[in-house]
Amino acid sequence: MTIDEPSEVVLAPERHTIDVIPDDERHGSPFSQFTLWFGANMQITAIVDGALAVVFGADAIWAILGLLIGNVLGGAVMALHSAQGPKLGLPQMISSRAQFGVFGAVLPLILVVLMYLGFAATGSVLAGQAINKILHIDSPTVGIVIFGVLTAFVAVTGYKLIHIVGRIATVLGVVGFTYLAVRLFAEYDVSAVVGVKGFDIVTFLLAISLGAGWQLTFGPYVADYSRYLPRSTNARATFWSTFAGSVIGSQWAMTFGALVAAAAGKAFLGDQVGFVGNLAGPAVVATLIYLVVLVGKLTVNCLNAYGGFMSILTTVTAFNGQSKISTAARTAYIVGFTAVSVVIAVGASADFLNNFKNFVLVLLMVFTPWSAINLTDYYLISKEKVDVPALYDPDARYGRWNSTAIVCYVIGVLAQIPFLAQKLYTGPITEQLGGADISWIIGIVVTAALYYPLARRTSNPPASMIYPVDPATTRRTR
């Protein structure tokens, strides 16, 4: 995609939804994935995520290292999902029908929608604060509602505008957060609060989990934004562009968050958005920083609204057999989703830091088994060969329900329970480990180890890729 396309093309609502992207409408280069995911990760919520490791006891140095390990591990899984996009030309969750069946894929889809709503709501709280600071308004509701309207507009317009907003967020994020880092070191004696605590395995593993959880939760929608790339796009280039953008952007923001939490403590925890504005200095500069916060949050929130719409549509069409909907219906889905997230945001702005920590870790529990199954099947069982028309036909190759995948998924979720370290529940093994949460590692390893031998005997992948001759039909070509 190029950013010099005519504005009337960029602002025209996207035509495609869960259908296959035709070859003659493919465009762009893998670098577009770098800017999108860098912009989506270089933002205020990632700063909060990085701060959490310090808030809950880790020294900043160990927190930053743990976050880096988590971002790299989770980012690799997330980027492997992205690499599927150009070859399949499909949204991520449609492709999961190849593992779970046309109806069976609805099970993780319901959880995906809840994830999008949660992230959209928590992000709206912070973006709403930035808008209120810019407009000098005290009511949290006003900023959240305005942000919801902006999110709905960009998400309804779709893929092209989302990528452009991501590019803008990348530039603003680099400039804005570099400036804030300079200001932090100028205003606080950062060296005095870094390296003052010894290594603690519990908080170190928490930092790894926060970084990994951040990345892994992008998995269910990352291919939605690489599916327009030409089919001939090199999978490795797509992987590395996505990986680099997501890991560098998130680690940069999280490192800043860890240092801010260590240096500023309660000043940051009580008002995260207000703190970065005060750190910026003069009122004019603070307003520009609030705009940086707003654009960064807008980028990722549009991904949430767009992905939420795709997931809802994938669920509905599993039962009605459709692969396309009207522009009016598409708009209604997105506006409805955004409205629900706004309502949640308005009612859930208290105790944000603690709620967000538990939200991210709970999501790890339900999405690591899904990623393990999807990637194991695509790369090791099917060996990147998919019968695309069969993904829309419950009577075709993949069937209605795939009991192998569903059972492995449920076992993968349940296997993590003894290892959980949550606000409402701590597993017995976690207590023996001193409170260290390694449930996400158990989820990936157990699920993949169980699914691989079973799927090798039960799966029926095609001998080669099967594409529809016309994406609007189920006629096939190899």
Side-chain angles (χ1 to χ4, degrees):
M1 187 185 83
T2 58
I3 60 174
D4 57 350
E5 295 172 273
S7 59
E8 63 268 22
V9 175
V10 171
L11 296 179
E14 182 183 355
R15 296 190 303 110
H16 294 286
T17 53
I18 61 169
D19 50 320
V20 182
I21 306 301
D23 285 344
D24 61 0
E25 296 186 38
R26 304 287 193 97
H27 54 264
S29 69
F31 185 69
S32 65
Q33 303 305 301
F34 176 87
T35 52
L36 176 66
W37 293 106
F38 187 98
N41 283 280
M42 178 70 88
Q43 40 102 352
I44 187 69
T45 313
I47 294 176
V48 173
D49 195 62
L52 287 175
V54 173
V55 170
F56 293 102
D59 183 84
I61 288 295
W62 292 114
I64 291 168
L65 179 58
L67 290 164
L68 177 61
I69 293 172
N71 275 312
V72 168
L73 295 176
V77 174
M78 174 260 202
L80 284 171
H81 287 297
S82 179
Q84 299 175 17
K87 188 167 188 177
L88 299 179
L90 296 168
Q92 188 71 69
M93 294 309 292
I94 283 288
S95 69
S96 71
R97 290 176 175 177
Q99 295 86 50
F100 290 87
V102 176
F103 295 165
V106 170
L107 174 62
L109 271 169
I110 293 171
L111 299 173
V112 168
V113 172
L114 293 176
M115 176 191 77
Y116 292 140
L117 280 173
F119 270 118
T122 53
S124 295
V125 172
L126 296 177
Q129 292 174 9
I131 290 175
N132 287 344
K133 297 288 185 181
I134 294 171
L135 300 179
H136 303 288
I137 296 174
D138 293 329
S139 172
T141 301
V142 174
I144 290 172
V145 171
I146 292 174
F147 184 68
V149 172
L150 291 173
T151 298
F153 172 76
V154 178
V156 166
T157 304
Y159 182 89
K160 292 181 180 179
L161 185 56
I162 289 173
H163 269 280
I164 289 175
V165 172
R167 292 183 177 189
I168 295 171
T170 294
V171 175
L172 293 180
V174 169
V175 174
F177 287 113
T178 298
Y179 172 77
L180 286 174
V182 172
R183 289 287 300 169
L184 179 68
F185 280 87
E187 294 293 319
Y188 294 88
D189 185 3
V190 177
S191 62
V193 293
V194 171
V196 297
K197 297 180 182 179
F199 176 78
D200 177 66
I201 186 63
V202 175
T203 54
F204 185 69
L205 288 174
L206 171 62
I208 293 175
S209 295
L210 288 169
W214 180 270
Q215 296 292 340
L216 289 170
T217 50
F218 287 126
Y221 64 23
V222 60
D224 296 6
Y225 306 97
S226 60
R227 76 192 199 280
Y228 275 88
L229 293 175
R231 194 187 299 183
S232 60
T233 301
N234 184 277
R236 291 185 178 182
T238 305
F239 171 90
W240 286 113
S241 294
T242 304
F243 176 85
S246 192
V247 171
I248 295 173
S250 59
Q251 185 62 33
W252 188 332
M254 290 180 189
T255 297
F256 179 71
L259 294 176
V260 166
K266 293 181 180 180
F268 173 70
L269 303 182
D271 180 10
Q272 303 93 41
V273 174
F275 175 84
V276 297
N278 291 332
L279 182 64
V284 173
V285 181
T287 298
L288 295 176
I289 291 299
Y290 293 139
L291 286 173
V292 171
V293 170
L294 175 59
V295 175
K297 286 310 309 172
L298 181 61
T299 302
V300 74
N301 225 51
C302 288
L303 303 187
N304 293 325
Y306 186 88
F309 150 69
M310 289 288 208
S311 297
I312 295 170
L313 187 59
T314 301
T315 301
V316 172
T317 57
F319 300 99
N320 66 19
Q322 292 182 330
S323 62
K324 290 185 176 182
I325 61 171
S326 67
T327 300
R330 181 178 183 277
T331 301
Y333 272 111
I334 294 174
V335 171
F337 175 91
T338 306
V340 172
S341 71
V342 165
V343 170
I344 295 173
V346 169
S349 33
D351 198 18
F352 177 76
L353 280 169
N354 202 39
N355 288 336
F356 185 71
K357 172 214 171 187
N358 285 283
F359 175 65
V360 171
L361 294 179
V362 166
L363 288 176
L364 271 175
M365 178 182 175
V366 299
F367 289 115
T368 49
W370 174 85
S371 277
I373 290 171
N374 179 270
L375 296 178
T376 299
D377 185 85
Y378 182 77
Y379 289 105
L380 300 180
I381 304 297
S382 299
K383 299 187 184 301
E384 303 182 46
K385 302 179 183 69
V386 177
D387 183 345
V388 174
L391 298 174
Y392 300 89
D393 184 358
D395 296 319
R397 180 188 303 273
Y398 301 115
R400 288 168 167 76
W401 310 89
N402 186 325
S403 58
T404 298
I406 293 172
V407 169
C408 291
Y409 175 76
V410 172
I411 292 175
V413 172
L414 295 177
Q416 298 174 73
I417 294 177
F419 299 89
L420 287 176
Q422 292 296 311
K423 183 177 182 180
L424 299 179
Y425 177 78
T426 299
I429 298 180
T430 300
E431 292 179 344
Q432 296 178 18
L433 295 173
D437 190 332
I438 61 170
S439 57
W440 64 279
I441 301 174
I442 301 300
I444 290 178
V445 173
V446 169
T447 307
L450 184 63
Y451 179 77
Y452 179 72
L454 293 175
R456 286 192 65 184
R457 292 195 294 268
T458 61
S459 293
N460 179 31
S464 60
M465 276 294 302
I466 302 176
Y467 296 100
V469 175
D470 178 351
T473 73
T474 56
R475 290 178 292 163
R476 305 180 178 193
T477 183
R478 293 184 187 274

